[in-house]
Amino acid sequence: MARQLTYKEYLMVTIPFMLSTVTQPLLGVVNTAIMGHMSEVFYIAAVSLGVILFNNIYWLFGFLRVSTTSFSAQALGKNSDESKFLSLFRPLIIAFIISLIFICIYPFIFAYYVEMMQPETLVIDLMKKYCDIVIWGAPFVLFNYVTLGWLMGQMIIRYTMFMQISMNVVNIILSFVFVFILHMDIEGVAYSSLIAQVYGCIIGFMAIYFKGNLNFSGHYVEQLKSIKPFLSMMKVNTDLMLRTICLLTINNLFAMAGTSLGTTTLAANAVILEIIFILVYFIDGMANGVSVFSGKAFGKKDKQLLNETLQIGLRCLAVFMVVSSIVVYLMKSYLIGLMTNLPEISMYADEYSMFLVIHPICACVGLLLYGMYTGVGHTSSVRNMMFIAVIFFFICQNILVEYFANYGIWATYSLTYLLESIILILFLPQIKLKFE
């Protein structure tokens, strides 16, 4: 049987996704680096905690991007105008409702987060200045998740790439201007994020309007009034939300363990984590490509395309991991130096820099397979995998941190992601059953 998917076709979709997706952690890297070059360690600690808080919340609703990509790709495979329309506007309605609820309960979330993390008083004051500004970007962030996911699913590659890259470039430029020229300190970083989120939302809707080829009809709008399809969509979204809750539990336990070892450990771990996120988001870009082709295969009920997507995706991942691991290992001290010029943080981070290589290797296969599972809408296995992972993390951290301190924190974090990869490999046969 002739090959339906070639390496060239796969890479033409995946490389732009990788380049655009990696701009998201680069933004966190820049914001952390800007605060890392302030006069006090409290700035980098406050931004890192603020970023973790909003990442936790936005990751919780990251299903909007993931599921929208899946439904949009399946609509592309079906070649259905109605499915294309509904795969965009149903999640937009959900995003609007969620963002309003989030803004209303934000004060309670912030108070609980501070009580849980228990940072120093000056860190709390700086973090509140940051968070009180960034919160107003919630509706735009969630709308961006939906528009980005829909554009990805429709394989509108150039505009997807432009939306993400330009939004984060705007954010980075404004951060430098507000902090180093206008001397707005931590508030400058917050305002730059808010403005960039509004900008990204405008660009996303413009891309859909000019390139989405959406057909509007009264019948399609009437379909939005039906509750049952929303419930079916929320079944997938609930699995992904539960997966994210488990992921956030792991990340919060990781951050709390670092906080318990002191502000310097918290800041050093934040530096290492931001660098790791660059590699992880490169892999996430590959997973986006796998998700699109898998969703298209499921829409067409094409098992051959699914198999080819898996084979090509894993081979390209292997090449990327070999090259990236070598580069990061050789440049680890330089990368840490870019993040902060505070000697106590850079020296401490350098001690644990081995995990810049170890963690992405442990996580890579699971991250790629996550794209395939979500692409075909088989989210129950992803949910179950995370239930197992969070239990493993809790037990392993309680054992290793007591004896190995920060080494135990990082070992637990990496081993948990390795376990996730193994579990998703074992669940692969269940995906193929959906094509029978």
Side-chain angles (χ1 to χ4, degrees):
M1 187 176 295
R3 177 177 287 278
Q4 292 184 323
L5 179 65
T6 65
Y7 284 93
K8 181 179 178 180
E9 291 168 338
Y10 174 79
L11 293 174
M12 284 180 65
V13 171
T14 302
I15 290 177
F17 282 164
M18 293 173 68
L19 294 175
S20 58
T21 303
V22 80
T23 59
Q24 187 169 340
L26 278 177
L27 174 62
V29 169
V30 170
N31 286 344
T32 303
I34 289 173
M35 292 295 100
H37 286 78
M38 300 296 286
S39 58
E40 299 288 343
V41 68
F42 299 108
Y43 284 97
I44 192 172
V47 167
S48 66
L49 285 177
V51 168
I52 288 171
L53 171 61
F54 280 93
N55 280 348
N56 285 349
I57 294 166
Y58 292 145
W59 283 349
L60 183 62
F61 303 115
F63 62 77
L64 288 168
R65 201 275 300 162
V66 177
S67 64
T68 303
T69 300
S70 173
F71 291 125
S72 177
Q74 292 175 27
L76 181 65
K78 296 176 184 176
N79 194 26
S80 166
D81 288 340
E82 180 178 354
S83 295
K84 285 173 61 177
F85 177 89
L86 296 175
S87 67
L88 172 63
F89 282 94
R90 279 178 179 148
L92 278 177
I93 293 172
I94 295 172
F96 178 72
I97 295 172
I98 290 173
S99 62
L100 290 181
I101 295 173
F102 175 36
I103 290 174
C104 290
I105 66 174
Y106 158 73
F108 305 100
I109 295 175
F110 183 85
Y112 173 77
Y113 183 67
V114 170
E115 181 67 25
M116 179 179 66
M117 302 302 293
Q118 296 186 343
E120 298 180 41
T121 302
L122 184 55
V123 174
I124 295 174
D125 294 338
L126 290 170
M127 184 175 66
K128 189 173 189 307
K129 289 182 179 180
Y130 175 85
C131 294
D132 285 353
I133 296 168
V134 173
I135 179 61
W136 296 106
F140 305 103
V141 171
L142 299 188
F143 285 161
N144 288 340
Y145 282 174
V146 174
T147 56
L148 182 63
W150 192 86
L151 290 168
M152 284 182 172
Q154 293 297 306
M155 294 191 183
I156 304 176
I157 308 300
R158 285 188 299 172
Y159 289 87
T160 299
M161 191 173 176
F162 177 78
M163 176 184 172
Q164 283 192 283
I165 293 177
S166 65
M167 179 174 65
N168 289 297
V169 168
V170 167
N171 198 332
I172 290 169
I173 292 173
L174 290 179
S175 293
F176 274 100
V177 172
F178 289 166
V179 174
F180 293 122
I181 297 178
L182 300 180
H183 305 292
M184 295 172 64
D185 295 337
I186 199 167
E187 291 171 316
V189 171
Y191 277 118
S192 64
S193 296
L194 176 60
I195 293 170
Q197 288 156 2
V198 175
Y199 164 84
C201 189
I202 294 170
I203 294 297
F205 282 118
M206 287 177 64
I208 291 172
Y209 179 78
F210 289 110
K211 292 295 179 180
N213 294 321
L214 275 179
N215 291 319
F216 293 81
S217 99
H219 172 68
Y220 299 168
V221 175
E222 284 296 317
Q223 291 286 88
L224 293 175
K225 299 178 182 178
S226 176
I227 301 298
K228 188 174 180 180
F230 280 97
L231 297 178
S232 299
M233 181 176 286
M234 287 306 298
K235 165 61 174 67
V236 172
N237 289 340
T238 300
D239 287 338
L240 294 177
M241 186 188 295
L242 291 172
R243 179 255 183 189
T244 308
I245 290 173
C246 292
L247 181 62
L248 296 180
T249 301
I250 290 172
N251 288 340
N252 281 324
L253 289 172
F254 176 88
M256 290 170 63
T259 304
S260 68
L261 297 178
T263 301
T264 300
T265 301
L266 171 64
N269 284 353
V271 167
I272 297 173
L273 207 56
E274 291 293 352
I275 299 172
I276 285 176
F277 279 166
I278 297 175
L279 290 177
V280 167
Y281 274 80
F282 267 124
I283 300 169
D284 190 53
M286 301 181 74
N288 289 336
V290 168
S291 178
V292 169
F293 286 113
S294 300
K296 186 177 180 181
F298 186 68
K300 298 169 62 177
K301 297 298 181 184
D302 189 338
K303 195 172 183 179
Q304 182 191 351
L305 178 58
L306 180 77
N307 290 332
E308 291 172 355
T309 300
L310 179 60
Q311 293 170 12
I312 293 174
L314 288 174
R315 289 168 186 165
C316 292
L317 175 66
V319 173
F320 173 78
M321 290 309 304
V322 170
V323 174
S324 63
S325 296
I326 294 172
V327 171
V328 169
Y329 179 79
L330 295 176
M331 297 184 63
K332 57 184 181 180
S333 297
Y334 175 74
L335 293 172
I336 291 171
L338 286 177
M339 295 293 294
T340 180
N341 60 356
L342 298 174
E344 66 270 29
I345 297 178
S346 59
M347 290 177 62
Y348 198 79
D350 191 64
E351 182 179 348
Y352 300 95
S353 60
M354 68 183 74
F355 291 100
L356 293 173
V357 174
I358 293 173
H359 182 79
I361 291 175
C362 292
C364 63
V365 173
L367 292 170
L368 188 79
L369 291 180
Y370 172 69
M372 173 163 284
Y373 279 79
T374 56
V376 301
H378 187 64
T379 52
S380 58
S381 291
V382 174
R383 176 201 64 205
N384 295 338
M385 172 271 292
M386 287 306 304
F387 286 158
I388 297 171
V390 74
I391 295 171
F392 173 84
F393 186 92
F394 181 78
I395 295 173
C396 195
Q397 188 180 61
N398 284 338
I399 296 172
L400 294 183
V401 174
E402 181 179 353
Y403 295 100
F404 302 105
N406 203 36
Y407 279 108
I409 296 174
W410 280 105
T412 302
Y413 196 56
S414 299
L415 288 173
T416 301
Y417 275 82
L418 177 62
L419 176 65
E420 293 174 13
S421 297
I422 293 171
I423 293 173
L424 288 185
I425 291 172
L426 296 176
F427 284 169
L428 268 177
Q430 297 183 21
I431 284 187
K432 298 181 179 180
L433 289 177
K434 293 177 69 70
F435 285 74
E436 296 298 332

